[in-house]
Amino acid sequence: MDSLAYAKSRQQIWKRLEVLAKKGRLSGAEADEFFQLYQRTAADLAFLRANAPDPELIMHLSAILGRARSKLTAQQTSVFGALQKLFFVTLPYAFYRIRWWIFTTTLCCIMLFAIVLLTYLLNPQLIENLAPKDQLDYYAKVGFEAYYSAHPNSDFTLIVWTNNAWIALQCIASGVTGIYPLYVLWANTISVGQAGAVLASRDLLSEFFQLILPHGQLELFAIFIAGAAGLRLFWAWVRPRNMPRTQALAEEGRNTVMVGIGLVFVLLLSGVIEGFVTPSALLWPVKIIIGTLALLAVIFWFLYFGRKAARISESKQESVSAIGWTTEYA
């Protein structure tokens, strides 16, 4: 094989990598391009070593990769780079991997909520069996709304955040059993459905949605994600694919831990909305819009950045499997 002809066909890739390696700071798109060019150039070097060992060309490519690797290492070890990778690669990718579990779990819980609400509304006696009449009246007319203003905003935010985060992390940690995640999802959905039925029985169903939708969209979605992650971990134990069960659990367990870390931040956002937006004097349509935008932002975050991370991961795996070589070799 003519190494000069090969070098000419790949020259633009190598030059672009060299330019990016010398650049002080890279944008998000440039960082993705830099990583991909690094992978392709490293693959070129391995190919040349095996098929056309031209010492001068190999030395030239090794120098380019050396500078690129130094920049890559520096970016990975900086605090800013680590945080950027955590929030725009690692965490969204962890959510993205289980996206169909998340959406399926969410749909099932919404359907269960509707079934519970309709069942209680069509059978008023079931509502009256939940508690004495005076307690139900107080809960519907005073207690449900008073709950959101019983503490100062910052204290209430901290209370709901820690409580919900603890429930989510428990759901994830015990996911391998397959039982606790189902229990949390079932109990939480039934409870919300019963609360809606109690307020509806007192002609306060609109107030129920006005109070729960601002923060509840994101808060409940986070619990659904925790349940989905726990169930996915259980499924990795039941169906380990073409690998030992312990290896499948370890692999899924690492992803599940990342989901748990991501949920801590998602629930912090929902806690802020519950502590400051839900009990505020804003018009209720504005409150619901804020909650909806927060939910859509989280979904967009893990779908968009998760898909990008998945593509990079797949291209990296394909290049490694194609040449049987890793980047550490260069």
Side-chain angles (χ1 to χ4, degrees), residues 285-301:
V286 176
K287 298 180 186 181
I288 293 176
I289 289 173
I290 292 173
T292 302
L293 290 176
L295 173 65
L296 293 177
V298 169
I299 294 175
F300 172 81
W301 166 72

Side-chain angles (χ1 to χ4, degrees), residues 68-91:
R69 190 185 301 110
S70 297
K71 185 177 185 66
L72 189 63
T73 303
Q75 285 186 337
Q76 289 176 341
T77 55
S78 68
V79 174
F80 177 78
L83 289 176
Q84 187 178 37
K85 181 180 179 181
L86 177 67
F87 285 103
F88 295 104
V89 179
T90 307
L91 295 182

Side-chain angles (χ1 to χ4, degrees), residues 30-260:
E30 288 175 332
D32 292 341
E33 182 187 8
F34 175 72
F35 180 78
Q36 292 174 3
L37 291 176
Y38 179 89
Q39 293 289 329
R40 294 170 69 181
T41 304
D44 290 340
L45 178 57
F47 181 82
L48 286 169
R49 279 174 169 161
N51 296 278
D54 183 329
E56 186 176 346
L57 184 56
I58 288 175
M59 187 177 298
H60 175 63
L61 272 187
S62 295
I64 294 176
L65 283 171
R67 286 191 293 270
R69 190 185 301 110
S70 297
K71 185 177 185 66
L72 189 63
T73 303
Q75 285 186 337
Q76 289 176 341
T77 55
S78 68
V79 174
F80 177 78
L83 289 176
Q84 187 178 37
K85 181 180 179 181
L86 177 67
F87 285 103
F88 295 104
V89 179
T90 307
L91 295 182
Y93 179 59
F95 282 61
Y96 184 78
R97 282 185 73 248
I98 61 169
R99 61 194 181 281
W100 298 119
W101 287 79
I102 292 173
F103 294 136
T104 301
T105 300
T106 300
L107 179 61
C108 289
C109 288
I110 291 174
M111 291 173 62
L112 177 60
F113 164 78
I115 291 171
V116 171
L117 182 62
L118 288 174
T119 299
Y120 275 85
L121 291 181
L122 294 175
N123 299 275
Q125 187 56 43
L126 293 177
I127 299 175
E128 303 306 320
N129 291 338
L130 293 174
K133 184 177 182 302
D134 58 337
Q135 292 183 19
L136 293 175
D137 289 340
Y138 177 82
Y139 176 79
K141 297 175 182 178
V142 180
F144 190 80
E145 182 176 1
Y147 167 75
Y148 298 102
S149 56
H151 301 278
N153 300 97
S154 57
D155 293 347
F156 187 55
T157 297
L158 183 61
I159 291 171
V160 296
W161 175 42
T162 53
N163 179 66
N164 290 329
W166 175 239
I167 293 173
L169 293 177
Q170 279 185 307
C171 197
I172 287 174
S174 61
V176 71
T177 66
I179 299 174
Y180 191 74
L182 285 176
Y183 167 75
V184 170
L185 293 172
W186 176 269
N188 194 69
T189 305
I190 295 294
S191 176
V192 175
Q194 289 175 337
V198 171
L199 267 73
S201 68
R202 271 64 180 173
D203 296 323
L204 296 171
L205 185 60
S206 60
E207 283 78 357
F208 167 78
F209 285 114
Q210 290 170 23
L211 286 168
I212 202 169
L213 285 180
H215 65 277
Q217 295 180 79
L218 186 56
E219 180 182 87
L220 292 171
F221 187 60
I223 298 301
F224 300 156
I225 293 174
L231 293 174
R232 180 65 185 85
L233 183 61
F234 170 71
W235 192 247
W237 177 77
V238 175
R239 294 285 299 273
R241 295 173 294 178
N242 298 321
M243 64 178 69
R245 185 167 277 108
T246 54
Q247 183 182 343
L249 278 174
E251 180 181 319
E252 195 60 42
R254 286 190 292 270
N255 187 75
T256 304
V257 169
M258 289 298 105
V259 173

Side-chain angles (χ1 to χ4, degrees), residues 281-324:
L282 292 171
L283 296 175
W284 67 263
V286 176
K287 298 180 186 181
I288 293 176
I289 289 173
I290 292 173
T292 302
L293 290 176
L295 173 65
L296 293 177
V298 169
I299 294 175
F300 172 81
W301 166 72
F302 77 74
L303 286 182
Y304 178 76
F305 293 106
R307 184 181 292 112
K308 287 182 64 177
R311 287 175 177 170
I312 293 173
S313 176
E314 289 169 3
S315 65
K316 180 178 178 181
Q317 290 171 1
E318 288 172 1
S319 64
V320 169
S321 62
I323 62 176

